Amino acid sequence: MKTMETRTPERPPPPRRLASGLDPRRRGAGSWAFVLSRITGLGLVVYLYVHLGVLSLLARGPESWDSFIDVVRSKPFLALDVVVIAGWLVHALNGIRVTLANFSFGARVQKAMFSVAMVVAAVLLVIMSVLIFEGS
Amino acid sequence: MSLDVPLQIHRQKEGVAPHRDLFRVSVADSATVLDAIEAAWAWHDGTIQFRHACHHASCGSCAVRVNGIERLPCVTAITDVWDGASDVVVEPLRNFPVAADLVVDVSTLFDRLEASEMSPLRPVEHALPVEIGERPRTDDGTMVAPAGIERFMRFESCIECGICISACPTAALGGKFYGPAGLAAVQRARAEATAATEVDAILGSVDGEHGVWRCHSAWECTERCPQGLDPAGAIMSLRRELTARRLRRLFRR
């Protein structure tokens, strides 16, 4: 009679990973779009509050505002502008895709719509980045 | 040719912290992932708990996550998920309570289907395109079921494996979301309904925070359905109809 082996199994270390519901790796385009929307959405909310905080400088008079503007016209700050625009483009264009698909317009081609949205976002980002840095 | 596959299996039992055990199983190169799990159980550790029945993607009971992705291991070739070097990781479905190891308590799936008030079963005479056998029929053509069986029933294409709920990021947030399978069942009932009162009742049952509006449109249910169904498309279809009805009502006022 064949007996069962009783080897003690090896125990690999427990995995370290993102909350599994928000980990799009190896998942479909829809999951990537879902996660990107959440990340950019949260980023834009944070940006909004930072923006409102910065605008409060206006209440301190023109000198305070002008000196701040000199700082944000520096190259590193312009790069941050590009990051904000990238988040806005991804969120807005994906939002249009989701809205259309949610009303059953193009729901079957949502993956292609995501690809198109991201290509359009990339093209617009390049154009806007050039305009930002050329105008600085 | 046989393969020596490093197989990590999620272990979870009462009183033991969840962890993974690594087994090096020897299986044929034509083996499925379920064959590999069975090899680990048969030759390494008979206490591994997993569920399976049909071995051909019909019962849906063996659904697990392989390398993080929901699959039916009975029809997943080991060579499709093993790169020849890394460990193959087998875990239970997400968004269900784990009963033990790879076995999850799927009763919440059936709770969700019941919450949608749409039975996943229907009389077989309405579903089959051809007549079967020589079974006697009543005057209206309905087949007479054998003694002891109230009526012929069959499962729809959904095999109730729970993969769509495991894959759904909205279901991961918990709550009373009906889930993709439940909402797809509602959409199917809606497609068949003709009486206005019936349509109203069906659409009303999902027009709420736990119904179609809870979905966050990740399409992962459709992406992962082993039966090739489109629960996400069904949800979008219900949303479109509900929105159209609201807009019509708004402009009639």
Side-chain angles (χ1 to χ4, degrees):
Chain A
M1 187 181 137
K2 198 163 189 176
T3 54
M4 195 173 67
E5 293 182 39
T6 53
R7 279 184 291 163
T8 306
E10 300 166 49
R11 293 209 169 167
R16 293 175 63 192
R17 58 185 169 187
L18 291 166
S20 61
L22 286 174
D23 185 354
R25 288 174 298 174
R26 293 194 294 267
R27 294 203 175 269
S31 277
W32 282 96
F34 167 78
V35 171
L36 277 175
S37 263
R38 263 93 209 132
I39 292 171
T40 53
L42 288 172
L44 290 170
V45 167
V46 170
Y47 172 76
L48 174 67
Y49 281 98
V50 171
H51 183 63
L52 291 174
V54 165
L55 284 181
S56 68
L57 289 175
L58 284 169
R60 296 185 197 169
E63 278 181 17
S64 166
W65 179 253
D66 289 346
S67 60
F68 170 72
I69 289 297
D70 287 340
V71 173
V72 295
R73 278 185 174 158
S74 64
K75 290 275 190 294
F77 268 86
L78 292 178
L80 287 177
D81 277 353
V82 172
V83 172
V84 171
I85 290 170
W88 171 70
L89 283 169
V90 167
H91 198 83
L93 292 170
N94 190 46
I96 293 170
R97 160 189 165 269
V98 169
T99 305
L100 286 173
N102 271 232
F103 297 134
S104 237
F105 298 113
R108 288 184 188 283
V109 290
Q110 55 89 15
K111 282 186 193 175
M113 285 165 70
F114 178 57
S115 301
V116 169
M118 292 304 99
V119 168
V120 171
V123 170
L124 289 176
L125 183 64
V126 169
I127 294 170
M128 290 180 185
S129 301
V130 169
L131 290 174
I132 285 172
F133 283 102
E134 271 188 349
S136 66
Chain B
M1 196 180 85
S2 95
L3 304 171
D4 289 317
V5 182
L7 190 69
Q8 285 192 32
I9 294 182
H10 177 92
R11 306 303 302 272
Q12 187 169 340
K13 287 183 173 61
E14 204 174 331
V16 181
H19 63 277
R20 292 182 195 155
D21 284 341
L22 175 61
F23 303 97
R24 296 180 192 280
V25 295
S26 185
V27 290
D29 57 0
S30 59
T32 64
V33 174
L34 184 55
D35 292 333
I37 297 169
E38 286 181 317
W41 168 77
W43 305 115
H44 295 264
D45 185 345
T47 68
I48 298 171
Q49 298 207 29
F50 59 107
R51 189 159 44 203
H52 67 92
C54 72
H55 280 259
H56 57 253
S58 182
C59 70
S61 61
C62 65
V64 288
R65 280 181 300 144
V66 182
N67 294 338
I69 298 300
E70 292 77 11
R71 294 177 185 275
L72 291 180
C74 63
V75 289
T76 302
I78 195 77
T79 48
D80 284 349
V81 294
W82 188 44
D83 59 9
S86 316
D87 295 354
V88 175
V89 178
V90 184
E91 298 166 288
L93 293 182
R94 295 186 310 183
N95 309 332
F96 292 103
V98 175
D101 297 342
L102 302 177
V103 179
V104 293
D105 177 0
V106 288
S107 57
T108 51
L109 165 65
F110 296 102
D111 291 344
R112 284 169 162 137
L113 286 170
E114 283 175 17
S116 72
E117 297 178 355
M118 300 299 141
S119 169
L121 299 171
R122 71 160 86 177
V124 71
E125 62 267 30
H126 295 156
L128 290 178
V130 293
E131 293 181 9
I132 53 170
E134 298 294 324
R135 202 143 284 289
R137 291 173 174 273
T138 59
D139 290 341
D140 67 355
T142 305
M143 281 186 289
V144 177
I149 297 177
E150 192 178 333
R151 57 179 179 166
F152 282 110
M153 305 287 274
R154 73 153 203 168
F155 280 105
E156 283 292 342
S157 299
C158 171
I159 56 173
E160 298 165 8
C161 57
I163 278 179
C164 58
I165 289 179
S166 176
C168 173
T170 307
L173 299 173
K176 297 175 181 173
F177 179 44
Y178 289 172
L183 293 171
V186 172
Q187 195 273 335
R188 190 181 63 230
R190 163 63 193 101
E192 293 171 350
T194 49
T197 50
E198 194 184 0
V199 172
D200 287 346
I202 290 170
L203 290 176
S205 72
V206 292
D207 187 11
E209 60 178 318
H210 304 308
V212 289
W213 307 113
R214 193 85 176 89
C215 165
H216 286 307
S217 315
W219 272 274
E220 203 58 38
C221 50
T222 295
E223 192 78 27
R224 297 296 153 209
C225 178
Q227 293 294 93
L229 304 180
D230 183 16
I235 294 169
M236 303 312 156
S237 171
L238 288 167
R239 280 180 169 176
R240 180 183 188 171
E241 185 164 11
L242 282 165
T243 306
R245 286 163 74 98
R246 284 188 181 183
L247 287 174
R248 274 199 299 272
R249 243 180 274 149
L250 189 69
F251 288 109
R252 260 189 221 142
R253 280 175 189 166

